[in-house]
Amino acid sequence: MAEEDETTVRHAYKESPSWSWPATTSMQRKFSFGAICGFALLLRMMLSLQPYSGAGVAPKYGDYEAQRHWMEITVHTPVKEWYVNTTNNDLRYWGLDYPPLTAYQSWIHGRIIHALEPAAVALNTSRGHEDARSKFLMRWTVLSSDILVFFPAALAFVSLYYKLAIFEEQAWALSMILLQPALILIDHGHFQFNCISLGLAAGAAAAVVSRHELVACVLYSLSLNHKQMSAYYAPAFFAHLLGRCIQRRSPVFGVVKLGIMVLTTFTICWWPFLSSRHSALQVLNRLAPFERGLYEDYVANFWCGTSMLIKWKQLFSVPVLARLALGATITAALPSMVQQIRAPSARGFLLAMLNSSFAFYFFSFQVHEKSVLLPLLPATLLALEEPGLLQWLVPYAVVSMLPLLRRDDLVLPYFALLALFFLLLKCPRHFEYKIAEDKLIKIFRAPILRNCSLAGAAILHLLYFYVQPPPRYSFLFEAFITSYCFAHFLVLFIYANCKQWYVPGDGQWVSSSKKIN
């Protein structure tokens, strides 16, 4: 009976597909998936021809220069000096502030670039190096990372989680993951390597839903060791895996086994920095930038979105704000954790990833506008299950980064990729049934609400691009954009938490997980 229920859930909206795929054999399916991956790669290559963060803006340039500088430092200095202020490593100039796996990745890419273009990573003399050859090589480091990590993770997830879906649905789900505009704009426009940490997290999610929990622990630990922001998913992984262990005959043994796997992975990643307590603490100090304050740029989260009404930075000291942020984050993530401990399931786990990452994005200390990529990942992984959520979250996530993208001169790609997303969203008309049957999302489908939301976004764009703000409030429109997006995110966060508590526990998912294994 459980198997029939799950099949009904996965196929309730499969009739009358609008996409007519000719591929039916295994080889033809592989070709079609390859075409989607090829198109996603082509978009990334085209965007790589556009400007990037801090292009030509001395003295510190931007994130492009930060990544290049880390390659320079890791190639030319001993491991023990990577996170230490020395003559050759001035931490005030883009010092490493990500975990060891990012440093190792920088070393690998730095060695490759050093072999092909030594001047691009020459010690102390390559700051601001931006010739055509070095930019080509730098862009390819991101493209290759995407191909080697994020693309395989997306393919694995679609193959495992949507195994019972028809091929057209699988193809659309893969498109939503690989063509998600925010990740493309940040990694291949702005210039970062989020594709690695998010790819490892997506791979860990695929392992969780296929019940390969030891593999999930390793992959998630690697994701956390690449970027500390992957901690946004920690409540979801912890609660789900703990809930699974509690259901077994020997729960303590299950917890110990998973704990050993996590500790082993962390030990391997941190081994060069475990020679002394002082060495390990130096790395940890670089990962916790409390001196930067509650927030820096305009972020569509609670602290920044409400700052026009409540001057948080003026009312409270940094230690008090840090405690407030910690308490608020735990409180916001707790309901999602409780649900997964009580009734763990694959779909509930993905919703928990979304809810816990939203909790961190809203309330944690020192959040960047790019951190919206964290809740976007589970939202795209749930594309077939929650298309209504996807069509609201993705556009406003991209809009929330508009001030950043405008500074990077990426306005044209911003509009182009948003248009592509809306086009892809309209292709599979049979998913409209899935949205229509969702009682919780009916309120979002009210024409007046949707039209008012879009009109508000359009007005904000016109003001931002064509109206000069008052001199006293030079960042007024940026504040309006972040507050407007935060209001939408808050509604979606409440919806996703409510939706998670509707998801049944193991009883509905046992048969499918056995099939996958």
Side-chain angles (χ1 to χ4, degrees):
M1 181 63 184
E3 183 174 348
E4 291 178 1
D5 290 340
E6 170 137 346
T7 304
T8 302
V9 169
R10 298 291 177 84
H11 291 276
Y13 44 93
K14 74 174 184 177
E15 295 180 0
S16 302
S18 62
W19 283 8
S20 180
W21 288 80
T24 54
T25 67
S26 175
M27 184 61 68
Q28 288 173 322
R29 290 189 176 194
K30 290 178 181 178
F31 176 80
S32 298
F33 280 128
I36 294 172
C37 293
F39 180 67
L41 179 60
L42 179 61
L43 280 182
R44 287 159 166 77
M45 294 174 66
M46 293 173 65
L47 186 57
S48 296
L49 301 175
Q50 300 296 312
Y52 49 82
S53 171
V57 183
K60 290 193 70 174
Y61 304 92
D63 277 14
Y64 174 94
E65 171 64 10
Q67 301 290 342
R68 188 214 59 77
H69 180 64
W70 295 345
M71 297 177 193
E72 167 196 344
I73 293 301
T74 54
V75 167
H76 293 290
T77 62
V79 175
K80 63 181 181 180
E81 296 182 5
W82 287 356
Y83 292 90
V84 182
N85 196 61
T86 65
T87 304
N88 291 323
N89 184 23
D90 183 0
L91 295 181
R92 294 171 298 179
Y93 185 82
W94 296 121
L96 259 169
D97 53 7
Y98 284 122
L101 202 60
T102 287
Y104 305 147
Q105 166 235 309
S106 298
W107 179 82
I108 293 171
H109 288 151
R111 295 299 300 178
I112 295 172
I113 292 179
H114 180 67
L116 300 173
E117 181 74 6
V121 290
L123 186 63
N124 297 327
T125 62
S126 59
R127 291 188 179 185
H129 191 92
E130 296 179 315
D131 69 2
R133 181 177 172 84
S134 65
K135 286 189 283 188
F136 173 81
L137 293 172
M138 288 287 289
R139 289 295 197 184
W140 268 104
T141 60
V142 185
L143 285 167
S144 60
S145 299
D146 227 337
I147 296 169
L148 293 174
V149 181
F150 192 76
F151 279 50
L155 287 164
F157 181 86
V158 170
S159 299
L160 292 169
Y161 186 62
Y162 293 118
K163 185 176 182 179
L164 299 179
I166 60 176
F167 173 62
E168 290 86 349
E169 295 171 349
Q170 293 179 357
W172 186 77
L174 180 63
S175 299
M176 288 295 100
I177 299 171
L178 295 183
L179 300 176
Q180 192 265 100
L183 179 59
I184 300 175
L185 285 165
I186 292 300
D187 274 17
H188 301 277
H190 179 81
F191 199 94
Q192 284 196 342
F193 289 89
N194 296 289
C195 56
I196 297 179
S197 58
L198 293 178
L200 291 168
V208 166
V209 301
S210 61
R211 305 295 291 272
H212 293 90
E213 292 159 5
L214 295 179
V215 176
C217 286
V218 172
L219 291 176
Y220 176 65
S221 297
L222 291 175
S223 177
L224 193 54
N225 275 286
H226 186 262
K227 284 199 172 184
Q228 61 266 42
M229 283 80 74
S230 292
Y232 286 23
Y233 301 134
F237 277 91
F238 173 80
H240 178 84
L241 294 176
L242 178 61
R244 291 291 189 196
C245 290
I246 291 173
Q247 291 180 339
R248 292 171 183 154
R249 294 181 179 177
S250 303
V252 175
F253 175 73
V255 172
V256 170
K257 185 169 60 173
L258 297 177
I260 290 174
M261 192 62 66
V262 171
L263 288 174
T264 301
T265 306
F266 267 79
T267 301
I268 293 172
C269 290
W270 282 71
W271 186 254
F273 308 100
L274 297 179
S275 57
S276 68
R277 182 172 177 269
H278 178 68
S279 178
L281 287 177
Q282 284 178 321
V283 181
L284 289 173
N285 287 336
R286 295 296 302 163
L287 305 185
F290 287 106
E291 70 280 357
R292 296 181 185 177
L294 184 61
Y295 59 85
E296 290 179 86
D297 292 325
Y298 286 90
V299 185
N301 71 351
F302 174 79
W303 307 115
C304 193
T306 59
S307 62
M308 289 192 294
L309 301 175
I310 305 173
K311 304 301 179 183
W312 299 102
K313 291 183 178 181
Q314 298 175 16
L315 292 173
F316 304 100
S317 64
V318 169
V320 172
L321 287 173
R323 289 194 291 271
L324 282 175
L326 177 62
T329 303
I330 294 174
T331 303
L334 197 57
S336 177
M337 294 180 65
V338 171
Q339 191 277 334
Q340 274 304 280
I341 293 173
R342 291 182 57 188
S345 66
R347 187 178 180 186
F349 163 72
L350 295 173
L351 284 167
M353 283 184 69
L354 174 62
N355 291 323
S356 66
S357 57
F358 252 144
F360 274 79
Y361 177 77
F362 283 152
F363 299 110
S364 61
F365 195 91
Q366 188 54 219
V367 173
H368 295 276
E369 60 269 65
K370 299 176 285 276
S371 298
V372 76
L373 295 175
L374 277 298
L376 276 176
L377 175 65
T380 55
L381 296 181
L382 279 164
L384 282 180
E385 304 283 4
E386 296 288 342
L389 178 65
L390 185 77
Q391 70 179 2
W392 279 90
L393 177 56
V394 172
Y396 284 103
V398 180
V399 171
S400 73
M401 298 190 297
L402 178 57
L404 171 71
L405 298 172
R406 189 185 186 189
R407 288 199 302 270
D408 293 342
D409 198 19
L410 293 170
V411 174
L412 180 60
Y414 162 84
F415 283 111
L417 288 174
L418 265 181
L420 175 63
F421 171 78
F422 282 117
L423 179 64
L424 290 172
L425 200 62
K426 292 296 182 181
C427 284
R429 295 184 182 276
H430 55 302
F431 296 128
E432 292 181 1
Y433 173 80
K434 180 64 178 177
I435 300 175
E437 73 174 0
D438 193 334
K439 296 179 181 179
L440 285 175
I441 209 168
K442 280 185 177 180
I443 186 173
F444 300 128
R445 288 180 55 78
I448 186 172
L449 182 63
R450 183 175 62 243
N451 294 337
C452 287
S453 174
L454 293 176
I459 291 171
L460 283 176
H461 279 75
L462 292 174
L463 290 173
Y464 186 57
F465 285 110
Y466 298 109
V467 177
Q468 187 70 26
R472 186 179 176 184
Y473 304 103
S474 56
F475 296 101
L476 179 64
F477 298 141
E478 285 89 343
F480 282 164
I481 290 172
T482 54
S483 297
Y484 192 73
C485 292
F486 164 67
H488 285 78
F489 293 161
L490 183 60
V491 173
L492 294 174
F493 175 60
I494 295 171
Y495 161 79
N497 269 276
C498 293
K499 193 62 182 288
Q500 185 182 334
W501 281 86
Y502 276 84
V503 177
D506 284 329
Q508 291 281 6
W509 294 88
V510 157
S511 61
S512 67
S513 60
K514 286 180 179 177
K515 263 189 169 184
I516 293 173
N517 282 318

